[in-house]
Amino acid sequence: MDHHDPLNEALLQWISSFSPSSPHQSLADLSTGVVLWQILLAIDPDYFRNSLPEPHRSAHDDWTRKWQNLRHIDKQLSLYYRDVCNGEEASDANSPDPKAIAAKADAGEIGKLVMLIIRAGMGSPAANQAMGRRLMGLGREKAMIIAGELRAMQEAEQEEQPDESEPVSRDESADASETETGHGKQNGLKSSTGSGAFSDPLLEKEEELLKAQAMIDRLEGSYAAAQRQVLDLRAEQGRLQDAFDTYRNEIDAKGRKGG
């Protein structure tokens, strides 16, 4: 991911939205983990209460010190996914390499880590609303880029899930492959994921935008569901409080009569 990569620029703008007075120029600036931990504190201060092992590192410090911070962040994010985000955890395809970030300031791996933080915020009932506003505050173009990457992460995880359907024999698989190849040659068309002479870049870009918009719609829907759950929990809390108050009053009344 180079400096002019659209996703790179969108992630930098999202990071800088937490400290607009000191915007970051490169994802390499995040290799210490200090800024990322500050963002996690902003997302959910009740959960990320402890401090980093090396809270005062700079980008030029020994990489092993930065590695301790990044491993700590990686572990805490995994726990957050388990405890808060409905038990979801990052797949191998979406998991960053903390060592590559610490030792090489690898922009691609840093981007993965930032995306996991964004996804954690969007998946958290406590932070979803603020995160949605922050994402849309980047502007439609950059919000769609990040939403598209969130969709790609989801698709990668689905591809890693084992296929529970009945296994197909090698002969059946070969026959199916030959049949698909024959149809493709006869029709002169390409598949949605393949390449061909009749591909239309404009239509492909429009399809990507529609999928990204669908991801945003799903995220907004998940927030609405989380809000309803919060309201139900508050109502239940109110009922329990009323029942407790009634029971306590009855106990107090019996105590006075007994006296």
Side-chain angles (χ1 to χ4, degrees):
M1 189 179 349
D2 59 40
H3 180 68
H4 300 290
D5 180 83
L7 178 59
N8 187 332
E9 294 178 353
L11 294 179
L12 281 173
Q13 185 174 336
W14 183 82
I15 291 289
S16 296
S17 71
F18 288 88
S19 55
S21 61
S22 56
H24 296 278
Q25 302 301 318
S26 170
L27 290 181
D29 297 340
L30 312 176
S31 63
T32 66
V34 174
V35 171
L36 298 179
W37 186 251
Q38 291 171 350
I39 290 174
L40 286 172
L41 287 173
I43 289 174
D44 196 338
D46 292 331
Y47 190 92
F48 300 102
R49 291 191 298 267
N50 54 352
S51 62
L52 289 174
E54 299 285 343
H56 305 295
R57 296 298 105 196
S58 72
H60 303 291
D61 285 338
D62 179 67
W63 72 269
T64 57
R65 299 289 185 88
K66 296 185 289 183
W67 188 26
Q68 293 184 46
N69 285 345
L70 294 163
R71 286 193 300 174
H72 179 79
I73 291 174
D74 189 48
K75 180 179 179 180
Q76 292 301 310
L77 265 178
S78 296
L79 294 174
Y80 193 72
Y81 272 103
R82 183 196 68 189
D83 297 341
V84 179
C85 302
N86 298 323
E88 298 177 2
E89 294 185 7
S91 68
D92 291 339
N94 297 325
S95 297
D97 182 353
K99 189 173 182 179
I101 297 174
K104 303 176 182 178
D106 188 296
E109 297 301 317
I110 296 173
K112 286 184 179 181
L113 183 54
V114 175
M115 284 303 307
L116 285 184
I117 293 174
I118 293 175
R119 186 179 175 186
M122 296 301 295
S124 166
N128 181 278
Q129 182 178 14
M131 287 291 293
R133 288 197 302 265
R134 186 179 296 277
L135 186 62
M136 299 310 295
L138 302 179
R140 180 176 178 82
E141 179 182 357
K142 288 185 169 55
M144 293 286 278
I145 290 172
I146 292 177
E149 187 66 16
L150 288 170
R151 175 180 57 80
M153 293 171 65
Q154 186 178 40
E155 291 176 352
E157 291 180 350
Q158 290 173 348
E159 290 177 0
E160 287 189 357
Q161 292 177 354
D163 187 2
E164 297 180 356
S165 61
E166 184 177 351
V168 179
S169 69
R170 182 178 302 177
D171 292 338
E172 291 174 342
S173 178
D175 291 341
S177 177
E178 291 177 1
T179 302
E180 290 179 2
T181 302
H183 287 320
K185 289 179 180 178
Q186 292 171 6
N187 297 332
L189 300 176
K190 73 178 188 68
S191 68
S192 60
T193 56
S195 60
F198 297 97
S199 63
D200 189 331
L202 183 60
L203 290 177
E204 291 176 356
K205 179 60 66 175
E206 182 178 2
E207 183 182 4
E208 291 178 3
L209 289 174
L210 289 173
K211 289 181 178 179
Q213 183 61 52
M215 171 61 74
I216 290 177
D217 293 341
R218 285 196 295 272
L219 292 172
E220 291 176 345
S222 67
Y223 163 68
Q227 284 292 93
R228 289 193 296 271
Q229 185 179 14
V230 169
L231 292 175
D232 291 343
L233 289 173
R234 287 177 177 170
E236 180 65 20
Q237 181 185 27
R239 288 192 292 270
L240 291 173
Q241 184 66 49
D242 291 341
F244 174 76
D245 292 341
T246 300
Y247 179 74
R248 183 175 58 184
N249 291 336
E250 291 176 354
I251 294 297
D252 291 343
K254 290 180 180 179
R256 287 194 296 270
K257 290 179 180 179

